[in-house]
Amino acid sequence: MTAPALQKRLGLATRDAYGQALAELGRRNPKIVVLDADLSSSTRTAMFAKAFPSRFINVGISEANLVGMAGGLAASGLIPFISSFACFLTCKGYDQLRMAVAYPHLPVKVVASHGGISVGEDGVSQQAIEDVALMTSLPGFVVMVPADEHATRALVNAAVDYPGPVYIRTGRPKAPIVHTAETRFEIGKGVVLREGRDVTLAANGLLVWEALAAADALAGDGIQAAVVDVHTIKPLDQALVEAQAKATGAFVVAEEHQVWGGLGSAVAQALARTTPAPVEFVALQDTYAESGTPDALMERYGLTARHLVNAARRVIARK
Amino acid sequence: MARPTPQEIPALRETARRLRKLDIQMLATAGSGHPGGSLSAADLVTALYFRALNHDPADPQWPGRDRFVLSKGHAVPIVYAALAVAGYFPESQLATLRQLGSPLQGHPDRRRCPGIEACTGSLGQGLSIGVGMALAARWQGAAFRTYVLLSDGETNEGQTWEAAAFAGFHHLDHLTAILDYNKFQLDGAVADVLSMEPMLEKWRAFGWEVRELDGHDMTQIVEALAWATTITTHPTMLIAHTVKGKGVSFMESNNYFHGVAPTAEEAAWALKELDGHGPPPAEFLATVRRGAK
Ligand SMILES: Cc1ncc(C[n+]2csc(CCOP(=O)(O)OP(=O)(O)O)c2C)c(N)n1
C-alpha cells in the first residue's frame, strides 16, 4: 500500500477561519451577537464587529463580566458568541461559565483563541493548556478543538444549531490543512483520515497534522497507523474509539494540552469502558511550557511527529 | 526618603533614556513584544529601581527588600532593562528575551528570573498579589514597602477593585500602587473601550490617598514616591499620566505598537531619536505602521 506523498500546506489559522465564519453567520442569523474582552483584533471577532457593529460589544478587560453577560443575553433569546484568549476566558470566567451558562444549559458559544503552547513567545501566561480539562468538567458543555480552517468553519456552524453551550478552541499560528471543504463534520463524530491495523493515532488541533506525518514515517517501517481527528472531546465518539480499538488494539493520543483531563483522559476512559487497550499520551507532561517560537516549543515539549512515532513504537510493544 | 540632590534628577533621566534604548533593542532582537506599554512606564520604572526601592541586586531574596509587582506583565522588557542596569544579571542577557530557555520570559516569571516578584501577564491580578505582600509585612512586623504598577486597561478588571477595596478597608499604608495611565488598551483608546473615569474619585472612594502626576516628569515622580512613604494611614495611589510609546515619536499614542515589535529599520530610527538626533525624516515616517494591527 503506497500512500500519496504527504504535503504540508498551511491554511488559515483556525482563529482566522473563525472570524470569517462568524461574520458569514451574522448575515444568516440575526440572533447572533458577539462579545469580546479587548482582544477582538487577536481573536478575529473584529471581522464581525466591522460587519455588524450594532451586534458587537467590546466589554473591556473583564472576562468574568463578559461571561455573565452572555448568560443574560442567552437567557433572553439571543445566541452570544464570546471570545478572548482561551486561558483568560476559561480561567477568569469559570464560575460564570458554571452558574450563568452550564447550569442553566444556555446556548452560549464560547470560542476562545490562543489555545495551546503554539502561542509562542508571549509565554505561559497567554498559553492555555488547561482549557479542555476545565470545559469538559462542566456538565452539558460540548468541547471541540478543530484542526484546520475547514474543520473550524464547519464546527462553528454546527455550534449555532446545537441547542446548548459549546466551547471551541482556536489557535494562533497558521494551521496545516488536513481536511477538505467536502469533509463532513458532525459534533461528537471523529473523522478517520487514514486507515491502519497496528496502532491508532488519535489527535486534535495542530496534532492532527503531526499524526499524519507520523503515520507516514511509520509506514516506511511497515507499521500501519490509523489516524483519527477527534475534534470533539465531549461528547466523545465512543463508537469510533471502540471500532479503532478492535481494528488496531493500541492508541497514541496527541494533543496540545496538559496530559491531565484532555483528549487523552477522555479516550482512555472510553477504552476502559468497553475495549481496554494500551495507550500512550503525547501531551504536556504536567508542566507549563515557556517562551519560544511555536515550532521550537512544540519540539521541546514533545508535540511533534517524531514523538508520536516513538510513542507508537512503545505502545505497539505493549500490545 | 531624602530629598533628591541637584544631580540626581538629570541622572535618573539619563537612566530612563538608557532603559528605553535597551527596551527597543530587546524587542527588535526578539521580534515580538510590547513597545508601547513598556516605553510609557520607563520613567516610573527608573524612579522605582534607582531611587525609591530599597533592594539589593546582589541578594535578590533579601527578606527586607521592598517588593515591586509589575501587574501589567506585558511591559516586562523595561523591567528587565532596569534589573540588568541595576546589576541583577549581565546586560548581555537581555538579547535572549523570549527565546527558549531564557530567564527573560515574554511575561514575568518569578521562578526563572532574579528580581521578579510575581508571575503576571493575566491582567488584573497584580494588585491582589501586592496586597498579600503588604499584609505579610504587617503580620510579620517587617518594614518593607510594596509597590504595584498597574495599567489603565486592567482597571477594567473586577479583581483590581476587590484588591483596592481590601487595601483601603484594612489601611495598608505600606502599599503604593502606580497607574501607568497612557489612555490606550489593546483594541483602542480606553475612552472608546471602557473608560474608568472618574479615576481619581474611584480610588479615593475605595479608601486610598491619591495623587495625580505627569508620569514622564522625573521631579514629579520622585516627589510623589517620597510623598507616598509619608502616608501612614492609607494605601497610596499615584495616577501617572503618561503617553503610550513615550520617547519614540512615531510610537507615541500609535497603538499599532501596543503589541508589535519594531522592525530593524524602525528600531534604528527609534534609537537615533533616543540619542537626541530628533525625529526621523518624512520619507521614513510615511512607512510607519499605524492603527490597529
Ligand atoms: C486578563 C487578560 N485579558 C486580556 C489580556 C490580553 N492583553 C494583553 S495587553 C492588553 C491590554 C493592554 O492595555 P493596558 O492594559 O492598558 O496596557 P498598556 O496600554 O499600558 O500597554 C490585553 C487586553 C491579558 N493579558 N490579560
Side-chain angles (χ1 to χ4, degrees), chain A:
Chain A
M1 188 176 86
T2 47
L6 198 58
Q7 273 210 357
K8 187 164 183 171
R9 222 163 29 89
L10 287 180
L12 295 177
T14 51
R15 61 175 168 150
D16 284 308
Y18 163 57
Q20 290 180 0
L22 188 61
E24 182 62 32
L25 270 167
R27 255 177 283 285
R28 299 212 301 272
N29 191 330
K31 283 191 182 169
I32 291 177
V33 293
V34 178
L35 279 64
D36 201 300
D38 200 29
L39 278 166
S40 69
S41 50
S42 299
T43 65
R44 307 304 198 218
T45 59
M47 298 183 203
F48 183 96
K50 199 157 168 239
F52 305 100
S54 62
R55 287 197 267 150
F56 172 84
I57 297 238
N58 187 341
V59 305
I61 312 173
S62 54
E63 297 77 7
N65 181 47
L66 180 153
V67 174
M69 283 171 64
L73 290 164
S76 311
L78 294 168
I79 304 178
F81 273 74
I82 62 175
S83 295
S84 174
F85 286 2
C87 50
F88 307 136
L89 210 46
T90 61
C91 295
K92 291 207 188 234
Y94 199 64
D95 187 25
Q96 292 73 17
L97 285 164
R98 179 173 185 265
M99 289 304 297
V101 180
Y103 182 25
H105 199 72
L106 288 165
V108 174
K109 317 300 174 181
V110 185
V111 186
S113 76
H114 289 55
I117 64 174
S118 56
V119 167
E121 290 86 345
D122 269 344
V124 171
S125 68
Q126 323 287 304
Q127 298 167 347
I129 63 163
E130 314 92 336
D131 56 326
V132 171
L134 287 169
M135 297 310 295
T136 50
S137 77
L138 292 173
F141 244 99
V142 165
V143 179
M144 302 191 282
V145 181
D148 70 1
E149 58 178 76
H150 299 301
T152 306
R153 261 183 221 114
L155 296 174
V156 166
N157 274 277
V160 179
D161 301 326
Y162 176 78
V166 175
Y167 177 76
I168 299 177
R169 173 209 265 201
T170 65
R172 178 171 181 265
K174 289 193 164 73
I177 300 283
V178 295
H179 296 293
T180 70
E182 282 73 48
T183 308
R184 275 183 45 106
F185 290 94
E186 207 181 312
I187 291 176
K189 291 271 168 278
V191 178
V192 179
L193 287 166
R194 180 171 174 143
E195 309 276 357
R197 53 155 205 255
D198 298 318
V199 61
T200 299
L201 311 180
N204 62 24
L206 292 178
L207 272 295
V208 176
W209 163 261
E210 301 299 329
L212 286 169
D216 229 33
L218 288 163
D221 291 349
I223 296 173
Q224 290 184 24
V227 176
V228 191
D229 176 357
V230 190
H231 52 71
T232 307
I233 299 100
K234 204 178 106 188
L236 191 75
D237 192 342
Q238 176 82 29
L240 180 63
V241 171
E242 282 174 19
Q244 287 298 325
K246 283 175 191 148
T248 67
F251 273 73
V252 173
V253 188
E255 62 191 317
E256 204 182 335
H257 191 270
Q258 149 79 320
V259 69
W260 293 88
L263 178 65
S265 300
V267 168
Q269 197 176 72
L271 288 169
R273 237 177 223 143
T274 52
T275 41
V279 189
E280 290 282 326
F281 302 93
V282 171
L284 288 160
Q285 301 302 320
D286 205 28
T287 180
Y288 285 103
E290 60 186 293
S291 292
T293 63
D295 286 347
L297 289 176
M298 296 295 269
E299 182 54 37
R300 163 72 183 75
Y301 288 90
L303 303 181
T304 55
R306 185 168 79 78
H307 297 92
L308 274 102
V309 167
N310 292 340
R313 290 190 205 290
R314 283 197 307 272
V315 84
I316 288 169
R318 287 170 52 202
K319 276 214 260 185

Side-chain angles (χ1 to χ4, degrees), chain B residues 31-54:
Chain B
S32 66
H34 301 81
S38 48
L39 290 172
S40 66
D43 300 298
L44 300 167
V45 166
T46 300
L48 282 163
Y49 277 95
F50 299 95
R51 166 81 195 170
L53 290 178
N54 187 15

Side-chain angles (χ1 to χ4, degrees), chain B residues 111-145:
Chain B
R111 288 177 76 192
R112 286 176 195 261
C113 186
I116 294 292
E117 301 280 6
C119 294
T120 53
S122 179
L123 291 166
Q125 299 199 18
L127 192 56
S128 296
I129 296 172
V131 165
M133 291 171 172
L135 189 60
R138 175 178 286 180
W139 276 346
Q140 293 166 343
F144 69 79
R145 297 186 59 82

